[in-house]
Amino acid sequence: IVHGFEGQQRWVTINDNCNSSPYTDCGSFGGWNISSSSDNGGYDGISFTSTLSGYKPYSGMGAALTESSAYLLTQLNQTNRETFLTLANELNMFSSFRIPVGTSDFALSEWTFVSNSTDWSMSTFNLQNDKYKRPMLNEILSHRNSGESITLIFSVWTPPIWLKNNYEWEYANLAQYTDQYYQGVADYWSTFINNLQDYIHSDYHSLVSNIYIAIQNEPFQGVGSDLPGCSMSVNDQIQIINKLSSNLQSVSMGGLPIPKILVLDHNWDLESDAEQIMQGVGSSASGVAFHAYGGTYTSQQTFHNNYPSSEIHLTEFSGSYTDDPEGTYNW
């Protein structure tokens, strides 16, 4: 729950373990003081304040813009413009959006930006395949306050299916572990990046302060997992990132910043894999993206200790879908 930006400038997350008032010390999270206070507009919970204890700066908080959420926002915009405008203005409080490139497990259909038939040249790439996320992102940006910059994080759930075993949308390995297939994934990314200056309307380029990409959402999911995805080993990811990094030297961004690469985009308990990827890609990556479904947040400290100049992003956590706040937010 985001609350209190009118004057308090803080984030509040409901957690029944920290609801004493007027104040209860609830520990610390990554160097941020976590406390509970009755002075939060009626919401008792965890308040992330701006007091750091020698840790890296906190860059902000955001939300995912999936196809399903973009579709629902589109319906709201068409049926209740006033409510939509209120919501769009409130979204100014977010400092980032994470956007799936193509389909995801929160989508209306399965698709990528290119043909489902083999297309090494990416000649069939078509931004119009994105019917909801792209127009909704630009709609949201059109209501963003001048000077309120935004960070965009893009991740692929599945590359074009002809790059995968058996043309599967669900989790499958790459069809071959060869330079051609690694380059194919990198070229798909490069084509998307080269089209970002059109994906994001030129009127809003100045609002975008950072762009990050993670080459594969949850790459260590097993083959056969029943959602769009691609299983990738540490070496697969190293090969693709290094090829993509080379491609980034020649991308055309218009007025947008050059994207930075984040490794892993998977759970805390895979921190050692993130370090292996970092060792293999060197300066090609700017940092790591963690998910919070496995392991604990202390993995972020481990990564920071070993890569103190690299960025750390928590890019996904959806809660446990229970009625128990402690169970949902106990990360």
Side-chain angles (χ1 to χ4, degrees):
I1 295 174
V2 181
H3 181 80
F5 266 69
E6 300 82 0
Q8 297 172 30
Q9 292 293 312
R10 63 182 177 181
W11 303 86
V12 177
T13 302
I14 295 299
N15 184 322
D16 282 352
N17 277 353
C18 298
N19 63 359
S20 302
S21 60
Y23 178 89
T24 299
D25 184 3
C26 297
S28 63
F29 178 82
W32 288 83
N33 291 336
I34 301 177
S35 62
S36 179
S37 170
S38 59
D39 181 25
N40 56 19
Y43 293 92
D44 288 330
I46 299 176
S47 174
F48 291 78
T49 68
S50 58
T51 303
L52 287 167
S53 304
Y55 289 78
K56 301 179 75 174
Y58 177 69
S59 60
M61 189 175 290
L65 181 60
T66 64
E67 185 172 70
S68 55
S69 62
Y71 171 78
L72 291 172
L73 288 170
T74 300
Q75 302 306 303
L76 177 63
N77 191 20
Q78 294 172 352
T79 60
N80 193 330
R81 177 70 174 172
E82 182 178 355
T83 299
F84 173 82
L85 290 175
T86 299
L87 177 59
N89 288 325
E90 289 177 350
L91 291 176
N92 278 304
M93 68 181 66
F94 286 134
S95 59
S96 65
F97 290 110
R98 181 177 183 239
I99 304 171
V101 178
T103 194
S104 73
D105 48 335
F106 289 93
L108 277 67
S109 62
E110 295 168 325
W111 60 277
T112 68
F113 283 101
V114 298
S115 169
N116 292 336
S117 301
T118 303
D119 178 19
W120 294 106
S121 67
M122 306 295 162
S123 61
T124 58
F125 189 96
N126 188 353
L127 286 179
Q128 301 305 315
N129 291 0
D130 191 335
K131 297 179 176 64
Y132 297 103
K133 289 174 295 179
R134 179 191 176 204
M136 183 49 61
L137 173 64
N138 284 291
E139 175 75 22
I140 290 170
L141 292 178
S142 74
H143 300 284
R144 198 158 186 87
N145 295 332
S146 177
E148 290 283 346
S149 63
I150 190 76
T151 290
L152 300 178
I153 303 172
F154 293 97
S155 187
V156 160
W157 263 240
T158 178
I161 57 175
W162 44 269
L163 287 165
K164 297 163 60 180
N165 262 339
N166 302 322
Y167 281 64
E168 297 282 352
W169 288 106
E170 292 76 18
Y171 268 90
N173 294 318
L174 291 173
Q176 296 181 27
Y177 305 118
T178 63
D179 278 351
Q180 182 184 27
Y181 279 79
Y182 295 142
Q183 189 67 58
V185 177
D187 288 347
Y188 178 64
W189 264 112
S190 298
T191 307
F192 174 74
I193 291 167
N194 272 312
N195 280 273
L196 273 175
Q197 58 183 310
D198 295 318
Y199 189 93
I200 302 163
H201 194 282
S202 59
D203 287 349
Y204 315 128
H205 284 190
S206 61
L207 293 174
V208 182
S209 57
N210 293 287
I211 297 175
Y212 294 94
I213 60 175
I215 62 163
Q216 175 61 51
N217 173 70
E218 300 197 344
F220 293 103
Q221 287 263 20
V223 170
S225 295
D226 191 22
L227 68 160
C230 186
S231 300
M232 293 184 181
S233 68
V234 166
N235 182 62
D236 293 339
Q237 295 169 69
I238 290 172
Q239 297 297 324
I240 294 166
I241 289 172
N242 283 333
K243 292 182 183 302
L244 176 57
S245 179
S246 297
N247 290 0
L248 288 179
Q249 307 306 313
S250 59
V251 296
S252 175
M253 297 301 297
L256 295 170
I258 297 293
K260 304 174 186 178
I261 298 175
L262 300 175
V263 306
L264 192 67
D265 210 20
H266 210 157
N267 292 334
W268 283 321
D269 55 9
L270 296 165
E271 188 274 336
S272 63
D273 294 293
E275 291 200 29
Q276 289 184 56
I277 300 169
M278 291 293 289
Q279 291 167 14
V281 302
S283 61
S284 294
S286 295
V288 63
F290 282 116
H291 295 184
Y293 306 113
T296 68
Y297 66 86
T298 56
S299 292
Q300 296 185 182
Q301 183 63 59
T302 301
F303 185 89
H304 174 66
N305 290 344
N306 295 325
Y307 289 88
S309 62
S310 295
E311 299 179 33
I312 298 173
H313 297 257
L314 182 61
T315 52
E316 185 178 326
F317 184 46
S318 299
S320 58
Y321 308 105
T322 72
D323 293 327
D324 175 19
E326 181 182 356
T328 300
Y329 297 110
N330 200 29
W331 56 276

